[in-house]
Amino acid sequence: MQVTAFAAPAEGEALVRTQIQRREVGPNDVLIEITYAGICHSDIHTVRGDWGPQSYPLAPGHEIVGTVTEVGSAVTRHSVGDTVGVGCMVNSCGQCVHCKAGDEQYCVEGMVGTYGAEDRDGTVTQGGYSTHVVVDADYVLSVPAGLDPAAAAPLLCAGITTYSPLKHWQAGPGKRVAVVGLGGLGHMAVKIAHAMGAEVTVLSQSLKKQEDGIRLGADHYFATSDPDTFESLASSFDLIINTVSAKIDVSAYLGLLDVNGSLVNVGAPAEPLSLNVFSLLTNRRSYSGSMIGGIAETQEMLDFCAEHGFGAEIELIEADQINEAYERVLASDVRYRFVIDAKTF
Amino acid sequence: MQVTAFAAPAEGEALVRTQIQRREVGPNDVLIEITYAGICHSDIHTVRGDWGPQSYPLAPGHEIVGTVTEVGSAVTRHSVGDTVGVGCMVNSCGQCVHCKAGDEQYCVEGMVGTYGAEDRDGTVTQGGYSTHVVVDADYVLSVPAGLDPAAAAPLLCAGITTYSPLKHWQAGPGKRVAVVGLGGLGHMAVKIAHAMGAEVTVLSQSLKKQEDGIRLGADHYFATSDPDTFESLASSFDLIINTVSAKIDVSAYLGLLDVNGSLVNVGAPAEPLSLNVFSLLTNRRSYSGSMIGGIAETQEMLDFCAEHGFGAEIELIEADQINEAYERVLASDVRYRFVIDAKTF
């Protein structure tokens, strides 16, 4: 099946409208007519080859919302007409201890990413900047009726990437949670941590977005460019979610954690970081990482957001604006997520 | 009160027999006639000024066992004639949330170390390489009758330093625990983790001590100098206790952790370490630190060791052999802890 997509023809080239191949709908597959696709910073890194060589043309996009238009003969989980979502993962072995525990993102054989990854049938996956996608029904989420579909798209990556560590490290009433960076991921971390009942502090480079941060649910807002911040907030958080993938002074942020506190990265800089181990010994601190979330947990996150009545804060664009949007993402000039109207592909 | 001690007269100088001052026994104090004092690697770093300038003369030693010879008027916890122990900590504020939670080692005002630290009365503490010590009764442990007092001395630092993280990170049946380094701390980690019911693997530079490791309770033993070790053991541990304070390739050790696994340092190199954050994102791993343990937990550890019938593996020496023993500790030439017979001070 040939479908229209926006794809990079080669490393470093701008995305253009093109045709890509989708597999026939197998017995366990769902055909989705895409309605919205979010733009994630990872899309840019991947198509530009920053994280290693890719196969081209490559259509990115792993924040997908759409409508089911066909289901395979064995599919019981979704029906034609359902509003559904697809996130960062479209397959995994399904058999290993982690898949069985609902941690498919840590599949022993490796999860299959939504684009640029070799699927279990040997084909290379293509993402959501496209009119249609065919996905194994077990990796397709239900988008609850209460969510605006466009604002729900970024939940499939930015939402679950922050929900999962907040849940795992038990953000909730009485927990002091800091969010480093108020971008696509950070703004979701603030909304979710606030909805979970935690006391939320934003640690941003400047106070430029302070008003937004408070409106989104933050109780406190500090500028990390001010050295006083690191003194006045020493040992005062239980959990810090670091949404900034650039290099940070890890030891300085660790210093903000109270006893048993964790600093959790949800992204990673390409180069190694330097770390003073004494900052871990003090207060029995941890420096941890977290990668998206499992399928059942992603569904739980969508239901949680619907129940609390929020999606992402988005700026809706047309397909022709993708390349310009990329430049704005790189310049941190978006509040807080670009979502592409799939009618314009 | 003047007592005999072995102390460094100045930075970098060998320890010599000298007289030091002990405070009068206050209402909450216990006077202990020391019978055994262990030699910890930290003693060497501290008296040599590796961790910052010290006040001299300085008598180190924070693995102390002795007999109570006098108690203050308000002391109910210990009686004259009791066999007791003193570890790395002789005071803390007692009022902060961490002291109240039994985590005195993470006291908000800072715990008071057994030597080279400013006590709450302004004096500088002197350690256990000495005939007597006066300590606040709340920081004095009971040494159970079943323990050999000489072999119990190293439990006060090496024992609690490894017991605490093994307990906190829930070593036990079904848990795969690796211990990096088979020295003073490592050999205790192996004994304790084994007694807790975990499956224990030693990761040592070479296979030189393999026989010992197995005898102490290890189920498996691997040489880290063999690169195959890091491939064959990838993602196979729930917990790694790193007892090596020298610089290690953290990312390589993180690669050995399965989903939700933790690598825990119980010591720290002076210089920062380099860390690839992707190794944390994969498998939701953590890199953590742990510092000794609280007073109640130290008592629990002593009782645990007594119940399981083991102390440390020691080499008993006389006071005049301390400087020579230091050189052997630095050369990793001790199986597994030197303990000084306090009759020879």
Side-chain angles (χ1 to χ4, degrees):
Chain A
M1 190 187 334
Q2 292 270 334
V3 303
T4 303
F6 261 70
E11 186 174 311
E13 291 191 18
L15 274 66
V16 295
R17 184 175 280 112
T18 186
Q19 295 289 303
I20 59 167
Q21 196 70 30
R22 297 293 189 189
R23 68 168 178 253
E24 292 307 309
V25 177
N28 297 307
D29 285 338
V30 168
L31 172 64
I32 300 165
E33 184 178 343
I34 297 173
T35 50
Y36 298 102
I39 293 180
C40 175
H41 208 132
S42 308
D43 299 349
I44 307 174
H45 282 305
T46 307
V47 293
R48 295 190 173 181
D50 298 344
W51 289 345
Q54 302 294 323
S55 144
Y56 293 91
L58 176 62
H62 56 205
E63 297 184 334
I64 305 170
V65 166
T67 307
V68 176
T69 55
E70 190 183 335
V71 297
S73 54
V75 173
T76 55
R77 203 167 169 156
H78 303 285
S79 308
V80 170
D82 286 358
T83 301
V84 294
V86 177
C88 303
M89 168 168 62
V90 290
N91 220 333
S92 69
C93 84
Q95 303 300 323
C96 72
V97 59
H98 305 315
C99 283
K100 284 189 185 294
D103 283 328
E104 299 93 345
Q105 76 275 32
Y106 304 124
C107 174
V108 168
E109 297 192 14
M111 67 166 217
V112 177
T114 302
Y115 56 81
E118 194 181 315
D119 207 341
R120 296 176 59 80
D121 64 4
T123 61
V124 173
T125 54
Q126 294 282 3
Y129 294 9
S130 172
T131 55
H132 297 80
V133 64
V134 177
V135 181
D136 185 303
D138 289 342
Y139 300 82
V140 174
L141 291 308
S142 298
V143 175
L147 284 177
D148 167 42
L155 300 182
L156 278 309
C157 169
I160 186 60
T161 297
T162 50
Y163 179 90
S164 182
L166 285 166
K167 184 90 192 294
H168 185 79
W169 277 274
Q170 301 171 313
K175 287 291 175 88
R176 298 157 298 170
V177 175
V179 175
V180 182
L182 193 68
L185 271 70
H187 96 288
M188 285 312 308
V190 169
K191 285 184 172 207
I192 295 168
H194 173 70
M196 286 175 168
E199 181 181 348
V200 183
T201 299
V202 173
L203 302 173
S204 185
Q205 266 196 301
S206 74
L207 297 178
K208 242 174 25 193
K209 301 181 190 167
Q210 180 167 19
E211 213 172 294
D212 268 20
I214 302 298
R215 178 176 59 80
L216 296 170
D219 300 287
H220 317 284
Y221 205 106
F222 291 88
T224 54
S225 51
D226 180 353
D228 281 355
T229 294
F230 290 91
E231 276 197 34
S232 65
L233 297 179
S235 298
S236 66
F237 297 108
D238 301 302
L239 176 61
I240 303 175
I241 303 289
N242 175 24
T243 71
V244 174
S245 289
K247 263 184 135 167
I248 60 161
D249 180 349
V250 186
S251 305
Y253 283 91
L254 285 170
L256 304 182
L257 291 170
D258 205 349
V259 170
N260 297 330
S262 295
L263 167 64
V264 183
N265 259 47
V266 293
E271 333 82 79
L273 284 177
S274 174
L275 170 68
N276 180 336
V277 182
F278 281 102
S279 56
L280 292 174
L281 297 183
T282 308
N283 285 353
R284 191 163 50 205
R285 294 165 176 141
S286 294
Y287 184 33
S288 308
S290 178
M291 210 172 70
I292 56 171
I295 293 297
E297 192 177 36
T298 305
Q299 189 61 59
E300 177 186 305
M301 175 277 305
L302 288 169
D303 296 344
F304 177 89
C305 291
E307 186 191 320
H308 289 271
F310 63 80
E313 309 282 297
I314 65 161
E315 186 171 330
L316 197 65
I317 62 168
E318 303 198 346
D320 291 328
Q321 297 172 278
I322 291 173
N323 294 302
E324 182 196 327
Y326 273 21
E327 296 312 314
R328 287 185 51 201
V329 169
L330 293 172
S332 298
D333 175 25
V334 50
R335 294 193 182 183
Y336 282 86
R337 206 66 154 176
F338 286 115
V339 172
I340 311 158
D341 182 345
K343 285 195 301 289
T344 64
F345 281 128
Chain B
M1 188 187 335
Q2 292 269 334
V3 303
T4 303
F6 262 69
E11 186 174 311
E13 290 190 19
L15 274 66
V16 295
R17 184 175 280 110
T18 186
Q19 295 290 303
I20 59 167
Q21 196 69 28
R22 297 293 188 189
R23 68 167 179 256
E24 292 307 310
V25 177
N28 297 307
D29 285 339
V30 167
L31 172 63
I32 300 165
E33 185 177 344
I34 297 173
T35 49
Y36 298 102
I39 293 180
C40 175
H41 208 132
S42 308
D43 299 350
I44 308 174
H45 282 304
T46 307
V47 295
R48 295 191 173 180
D50 298 345
W51 290 346
Q54 301 295 324
S55 144
Y56 293 92
L58 177 61
H62 56 207
E63 297 185 334
I64 306 170
V65 166
T67 307
V68 176
T69 53
E70 190 184 334
V71 296
S73 55
V75 174
T76 54
R77 203 166 169 157
H78 304 285
S79 308
V80 171
D82 287 357
T83 302
V84 293
V86 177
C88 303
M89 168 168 61
V90 290
N91 220 334
S92 68
C93 85
Q95 303 301 323
C96 73
V97 59
H98 305 315
C99 283
K100 284 190 186 293
D103 283 327
E104 299 92 346
Q105 75 275 34
Y106 304 124
C107 173
V108 168
E109 296 191 15
M111 68 167 219
V112 177
T114 300
Y115 56 80
E118 193 181 316
D119 207 341
R120 295 176 60 80
D121 64 4
T123 60
V124 173
T125 55
Q126 294 282 4
Y129 293 10
S130 172
T131 56
H132 296 79
V133 65
V134 177
V135 180
D136 185 303
D138 289 342
Y139 299 82
V140 174
L141 291 308
S142 298
V143 176
L147 283 178
D148 167 42
L155 300 182
L156 277 310
C157 169
I160 187 60
T161 296
T162 50
Y163 179 88
S164 183
L166 286 165
K167 183 90 192 296
H168 185 78
W169 277 274
Q170 302 172 310
K175 287 292 174 89
R176 299 157 298 170
V177 175
V179 175
V180 182
L182 194 68
L185 270 70
H187 96 287
M188 285 312 307
V190 169
K191 285 185 172 207
I192 295 168
H194 174 69
M196 286 176 170
E199 181 181 346
V200 183
T201 300
V202 172
L203 302 174
S204 186
Q205 265 197 302
S206 75
L207 297 178
K208 243 173 25 193
K209 302 181 190 167
Q210 180 167 19
E211 213 173 292
D212 268 19
I214 301 297
R215 177 177 59 79
L216 295 171
D219 300 287
H220 317 284
Y221 205 106
F222 291 88
T224 54
S225 51
D226 179 353
D228 281 356
T229 294
F230 289 91
E231 275 196 36
S232 66
L233 297 179
S235 299
S236 67
F237 298 109
D238 301 302
L239 175 62
I240 303 174
I241 303 289
N242 176 25
T243 71
V244 174
S245 288
K247 262 182 134 167
I248 60 161
D249 180 349
V250 186
S251 305
Y253 283 90
L254 285 170
L256 304 181
L257 291 169
D258 205 347
V259 169
N260 296 331
S262 294
L263 167 64
V264 183
N265 259 50
V266 293
E271 332 82 81
L273 285 176
S274 174
L275 170 67
N276 180 336
V277 182
F278 282 102
S279 56
L280 292 173
L281 297 183
T282 308
N283 285 354
R284 192 164 45 208
R285 294 166 176 140
S286 293
Y287 184 33
S288 307
S290 179
M291 209 171 73
I292 56 172
I295 293 297
E297 191 177 37
T298 305
Q299 188 61 58
E300 176 187 303
M301 175 276 307
L302 288 169
D303 297 344
F304 177 90
C305 291
E307 185 191 322
H308 289 272
F310 64 79
E313 309 282 298
I314 65 160
E315 187 172 330
L316 197 65
I317 61 168
E318 303 198 345
D320 290 328
Q321 296 171 278
I322 291 173
N323 294 303
E324 182 195 328
Y326 272 20
E327 296 311 315
R328 288 184 52 200
V329 169
L330 293 173
S332 299
D333 175 26
V334 49
R335 294 192 181 184
Y336 284 86
R337 205 65 154 176
F338 287 115
V339 172
I340 312 159
D341 182 345
K343 285 195 299 288
T344 63
F345 281 128

